[in-house]
Amino acid sequence: MRKSELISLVALALIGVIALIMGRFGARAMQDSVIERARDNLAIIGFSDIEVSADGLVVEIAGKVRSSNDHDVVLGTIQNMTGVARIVDNVFVVEPLMDGTPLKLVLQRDGQAVTLTGEAPNFESRDLLAAQAELLRGEAEFLNLMKAQDRGSAPDWFIAAEATIDAVSALRVGRGEVFENKVVIVGAAIDGAARDEILAMLQARLPSKYTQELEISAPPPLLSPYVFSARMNADGIDIGRCAVPDARLRSVVAGAVKSAGRKLVDERAQTCVIAHGAPNEQWSDAVVRSIEAMTTLQEGAVRIVDDQVLIEGFVAKGADITAATERVMEGWPAPYHVQTSIREILPFVRPYSLTAIKRPSEVSLRGHAPHESRVETWGKILGVEPDLKLARGEPPEWEMAVEIGLERLASLKIGALTVVGRSLILAAPGDLAERKQMELGLRGRLPSGYAVEVIAADEPQFLGASTETAEALENLPVTDHRPVFIVSHQDGQPALVRGVVADPASRATVSAYAHAKFGRMADLSALEVRPQADLPLGWQRALFASLDALSVLSQGEVMVEPGAAYLRGQVSKATQAHEALRTLESKLPEEFARFSRLRVEEVIALPEADGPEHLTDGACEARIKQLTAANPINFESGSSVISGDSYDVLERISRVLIRCPEAQFIVGGHTDASGSEEDNLSLSQKRAGQVRVALVRRGVDPGQLMAQGFGESRPIASNETASGRARNRRIEFKISR
């Protein structure tokens, strides 16, 4: 080919390419022009928020309109102006509801779909909640049918809705509903720990005006060891710890008690924990046999731990202990190994008491003990030969309470300890703050239901008074039938009423009076009718007077026995103490002497860390946040010395931390912006360190806590106002991630 022909061909090709480019450019320009005109026309008719874009022969529209008719207008406008065959329609109809329609959110989650319906206060809230709910979908279909009202914000409702979506997200399957003052959640959690974490999260996040209706189930936990325990006395059988593999076996426990001709002291057998982990298929047979074995004794106790059984009890004086032991050992399923401790019955004592005195010239220990082994052990703690009488009648876990008190007394140079029933009084040297800290330490270690008070031992007359108290208690007649009436009211728990009345009519009257004073939750299951009791003149009037006086106290205990009434407890104002004493003085029959020990002290109401024995890390963090929000940890001005008014909240925090032993927390100290940045950092570190030390002293594992000061670097409020600076001065507990 000649050179001239080649040049002609190249020129023609270039002309073709240029024409093609110009054609495409012209088409693109024409398309852009059409799209721009379409946008302008939509804006003219009131739809400026609709987005229009094009890619070749495909046009995409997106946005929101208020009605189906508006949607048809937008779609028709685009079709008429562009003439394209395919339109991608992403325009949604969101019809606003009339103002005043109740707000509502319903979130349903199952294995196939996540569905969101209801009415939000505005479009922004609707979109935010829908985006949060869509995160639950995973591989499932997400269907958003939620509508929006055209009103202002509803912050409490929105917070409740967010918390509910988070709760449903933690369920395997479930349904959550949010109304304007109530949250309803039904579903199944992965396990008990997850359920507890959900409950704690809702408690922490839901606004105070919202009530909760929750039905969140969880698979039974795996328990190890697997335990059943019970005690039997003249009142009946008291079920302690009780684990069963399924709900059917709950009734088996109650049925075994009834078949043995006994009654349940309370109905705890109906709430045995359903759990996996039973050591074998004969577990229910072993539980039934343990109840049968106990009833062959006058009094007894049984404890089954996996396949190991221990039965302790008493037989009548002079009875054949060998024969009694053989009866207890009969009929056990093969896998179980049984040990027994059967003795002649001891005298019955009420009130059950012990008094110890320690001073340079004398150490003494007198009172009652349930076993010879305890006499020896308690004597060794104080290094003294004890004068203890063997007797029964001790309250549950009394031995543990006595040993805790004796160990504390042994650490003092001078002091005294008196334990009467479930009340422990320790006299110790030191100032008020030191005694308060000692009291809180004891309260954290003592078994549930025990009251403790630490008073000054600097005055010699106290030790003399303790000696007189000990002698008076020891001289009480030892009898199974001594009438006594005791009411305990403390720590926000239902009042516990126990003792003796003459006949059913008196019991009904006293019960009604106690319910009137302490509410319907007052526990009167241990108030017994004893027609043969030698009740003194004015007994019932004395009972009413004691209930009246106790109802004035913030917490305390009253005991009535022939010829005397004892009142002790705590009040928040001195006027309450005077009122309680005046009530007892004026209403108690003259045949009864009155003894009292009342303490005036501000009572701090804090949420209890109730619930399962162990908590998840998240549940611990949420509960501690509740506690510190209600009662911040305070310090003396400008120092790292913890204020005395913060001891109670530290005690509560320690109880929570002990129940999540695997969790590790950063104890964060924060200050306001007053002073230099360097001084604030140092002060915050010292304060965090003091809080850590205080918690370790209350039994928290040191490895759980790391103290860190942040100074003024992380404010949560303005430092320009006094209230803001007060909020910034704080101690926070955060999980160490």
Side-chain angles (χ1 to χ4, degrees):
M1 182 181 292
R2 288 181 297 177
K3 185 176 181 180
S4 58
E5 292 175 346
L6 181 61
I7 292 172
S8 298
L9 289 173
V10 170
L12 287 172
L14 287 172
I15 292 170
V17 169
I18 292 170
L20 180 62
I21 293 173
M22 292 298 293
R24 289 188 176 180
F25 180 81
R28 182 70 181 183
M30 184 179 296
Q31 182 185 69
D32 290 345
S33 175
V34 170
I35 295 301
E36 191 62 35
R37 289 201 309 274
R39 289 180 183 140
D40 291 342
N41 283 349
L42 287 174
I44 290 171
I45 59 178
F47 299 105
S48 58
D49 293 337
I50 299 299
E51 297 179 4
V52 184
S53 60
D55 184 7
L57 298 178
V58 178
V59 173
E60 180 179 358
I61 55 176
K64 300 173 185 177
V65 293
R66 297 293 182 92
S67 67
S68 299
N69 183 62
D70 288 349
H71 178 262
D72 293 340
V73 170
V74 170
L75 193 59
T77 300
I78 295 299
Q79 288 174 333
N80 292 334
M81 295 199 64
T82 62
V84 296
R86 184 182 175 197
I87 297 175
V88 178
D89 182 6
N90 286 324
V91 175
F92 295 93
V93 178
V94 284
E95 299 184 26
L97 302 170
M98 294 296 293
D99 288 352
T101 303
L103 300 177
K104 182 179 180 181
L105 176 144
V106 180
L107 178 63
Q108 179 80 34
R109 182 188 191 190
D110 55 34
Q112 285 72 45
V114 175
T115 305
L116 181 68
T117 61
E119 296 82 35
N122 50 59
F123 293 110
E124 182 181 6
S125 296
R126 172 196 178 277
D127 293 344
L128 289 172
L129 294 173
Q132 183 183 356
E134 190 171 6
L135 297 175
L136 278 62
R137 65 182 299 177
E139 300 297 323
E141 178 185 1
F142 177 65
L143 184 60
N144 178 16
L145 301 176
M146 195 170 193
K147 298 179 180 179
Q149 299 185 20
D150 193 11
R151 67 155 100 168
S153 63
D156 282 353
W157 183 88
F158 186 78
I159 291 170
E162 284 189 314
T164 301
I165 293 174
D166 284 345
V168 174
S169 72
L171 300 174
R172 291 186 292 117
V173 293
R175 175 186 176 90
E177 298 179 72
V178 184
F179 302 93
E180 296 204 5
N181 58 5
K182 181 174 70 173
V183 166
V184 179
I185 300 177
V186 179
I190 298 172
D191 54 31
R195 177 182 58 193
D196 296 337
E197 193 163 345
I198 292 170
L199 298 179
M201 181 273 292
L202 290 171
Q203 185 67 32
R205 290 176 55 184
L206 286 178
S208 58
K209 73 174 185 178
Y210 275 79
T211 59
Q212 303 176 36
E213 294 182 10
L214 310 176
E215 294 183 20
I216 302 176
S217 61
L222 176 64
L223 292 186
S224 180
Y226 215 71
V227 177
F228 173 81
S229 65
R231 298 177 67 91
M232 182 196 71
N233 56 30
D235 296 329
I237 294 178
D238 186 9
I239 304 297
R241 294 182 62 181
C242 177
V244 292
D246 56 60
R248 177 185 61 84
L249 293 179
R250 285 177 170 170
S251 59
V252 170
V253 175
V257 173
K258 186 176 180 181
S259 298
R262 302 284 178 146
K263 67 175 182 178
L264 284 170
V265 173
D266 59 31
E267 295 301 319
R268 290 178 63 184
Q270 301 304 312
T271 56
C272 291
V273 175
I274 299 174
H276 298 305
N280 47 60
E281 295 180 357
Q282 288 77 33
W283 176 259
S284 60
D285 295 334
V287 169
V288 171
R289 177 58 196 143
S290 71
I291 294 171
E292 294 171 346
M294 265 200 311
T295 58
T296 65
L297 306 171
Q298 281 205 337
E299 291 190 7
V302 63
R303 183 174 176 83
I304 309 176
V305 180
D306 292 333
D307 58 358
Q308 302 296 315
V309 182
L310 174 62
I311 295 185
E312 300 176 292
F314 299 102
V315 294
K317 193 168 185 178
D320 188 337
I321 293 179
T322 302
T325 302
E326 290 175 353
R327 288 193 297 271
V328 168
M329 295 290 290
E330 292 173 352
W332 286 89
Y336 287 85
H337 307 280
V338 184
Q339 292 181 311
T340 63
S341 175
I342 312 298
R343 297 172 290 159
E344 285 190 0
I345 200 160
L346 296 171
F348 185 90
V349 172
R350 286 283 173 84
Y352 209 82
S353 64
L354 175 144
T355 297
I357 298 175
K358 183 180 180 183
R359 51 188 172 188
S361 60
E362 174 193 7
V363 179
S364 63
L365 176 59
R366 292 184 283 183
H368 306 111
H371 306 289
E372 285 283 1
S373 60
R374 297 299 93 195
V375 175
E376 181 180 355
T377 300
W378 296 346
K380 286 181 178 179
I381 293 175
L382 290 182
V384 67
E385 188 68 32
D387 180 15
L388 296 173
K389 299 174 182 177
L390 293 181
R392 58 196 175 94
E394 75 278 13
E397 301 182 288
W398 196 78
E399 297 169 42
M400 180 190 297
V402 167
E403 289 186 14
I404 291 170
L406 289 175
E407 288 169 358
R408 196 68 184 89
L409 177 62
S411 69
L412 305 175
K413 291 183 178 180
I414 185 173
L417 172 72
T418 300
V419 185
V420 182
R422 298 194 191 199
S423 297
L424 184 149
I425 302 174
L426 177 68
D431 59 25
L432 178 61
E434 291 172 328
R435 296 198 308 274
K436 178 66 175 175
Q437 190 156 5
M438 190 182 303
E439 181 176 306
L440 290 172
L442 285 169
R443 191 177 297 166
R445 297 180 60 201
L446 286 171
S448 176
Y450 279 76
V452 59
E453 180 179 1
V454 178
I455 61 177
D458 300 327
E459 302 160 2
Q461 60 264 33
F462 169 76
L463 295 180
S466 295
T467 303
E468 294 170 7
T469 301
E471 291 172 350
L473 290 169
E474 289 175 9
N475 290 330
L476 289 175
V478 177
T479 170
D480 285 354
H481 301 289
R482 180 176 180 81
V484 68
F485 179 81
I486 303 174
V487 185
S488 302
H489 173 52
Q490 58 187 17
D491 293 335
Q493 300 298 317
L496 176 63
V497 182
R498 54 197 188 278
V500 176
V501 291
D503 50 56
S506 297
R507 189 186 192 283
T509 303
V510 172
S511 298
Y513 203 75
H515 284 143
K517 291 294 180 182
F518 301 105
R520 298 300 302 175
M521 293 301 291
D523 181 359
L524 292 105
S525 59
L527 181 61
E528 63 176 292
V529 175
R530 194 182 293 173
Q532 304 302 320
D534 185 17
L535 298 178
L537 186 67
W539 179 253
Q540 189 158 308
R541 285 173 54 210
L543 305 191
F544 290 156
S546 67
L547 290 169
D548 283 335
L550 184 63
S551 67
V552 177
L553 306 185
S554 305
Q555 57 185 39
E557 182 176 72
V558 64
M559 181 176 76
V560 181
E561 61 181 17
Y566 305 87
L567 178 67
R568 64 178 299 274
Q570 184 173 310
V571 293
S572 57
K573 297 178 182 177
T575 53
Q576 289 179 309
H578 297 317
E579 182 182 352
L581 296 176
R582 187 171 59 251
T583 299
L584 196 60
E585 185 80 34
S586 62
K587 296 186 177 182
L588 195 66
E590 61 182 17
E591 297 86 358
F592 288 76
R594 185 258 300 167
F595 302 94
S596 63
R597 183 187 297 279
L598 299 181
R599 179 174 54 166
V600 180
E601 181 175 307
E602 184 69 26
V603 178
I604 301 175
L606 290 173
E608 284 291 344
D610 48 14
E613 184 175 352
H614 293 289
L615 298 174
T616 63
D617 295 358
C620 270
E621 188 175 31
R623 293 192 182 192
I624 293 172
K625 185 176 181 181
Q626 282 182 280
L627 291 170
T628 54
N631 291 270
I633 298 171
N634 297 319
F635 299 85
E636 300 296 337
S637 179
S639 80
S640 59
V641 176
I642 299 173
S643 298
D645 61 3
S646 294
Y647 290 160
D648 276 333
V649 71
L650 286 170
E651 183 67 25
R652 298 293 181 89
I653 292 171
S654 70
R655 294 183 191 178
V656 174
L657 289 170
I658 289 169
R659 295 165 67 191
C660 47
E662 302 302 320
Q664 293 185 323
F665 282 84
I666 295 174
V667 182
H670 302 266
T671 68
D672 58 27
S674 303
S676 71
E677 190 172 330
E678 182 179 347
D679 288 345
N680 286 335
L681 182 61
S682 174
L683 179 60
S684 66
Q685 181 66 47
K686 290 178 181 177
R687 286 181 169 179
Q690 285 300 311
V691 170
R692 179 182 181 275
V693 169
L695 292 171
V696 169
R697 286 176 177 169
R698 286 164 171 78
V700 179
D701 184 347
Q704 283 187 262
L705 305 173
M706 182 180 73
Q708 184 172 352
F710 296 95
E712 60 188 69
S713 63
R714 299 186 180 183
I716 57 173
S718 170
N719 278 305
E720 301 301 319
T721 64
S723 61
R725 290 191 294 273
R727 290 184 62 197
N728 289 333
R729 296 190 297 269
R730 67 195 188 279
I731 293 289
E732 291 183 335
F733 291 79
K734 299 285 188 182
I735 290 285
S736 178
R737 305 295 182 187

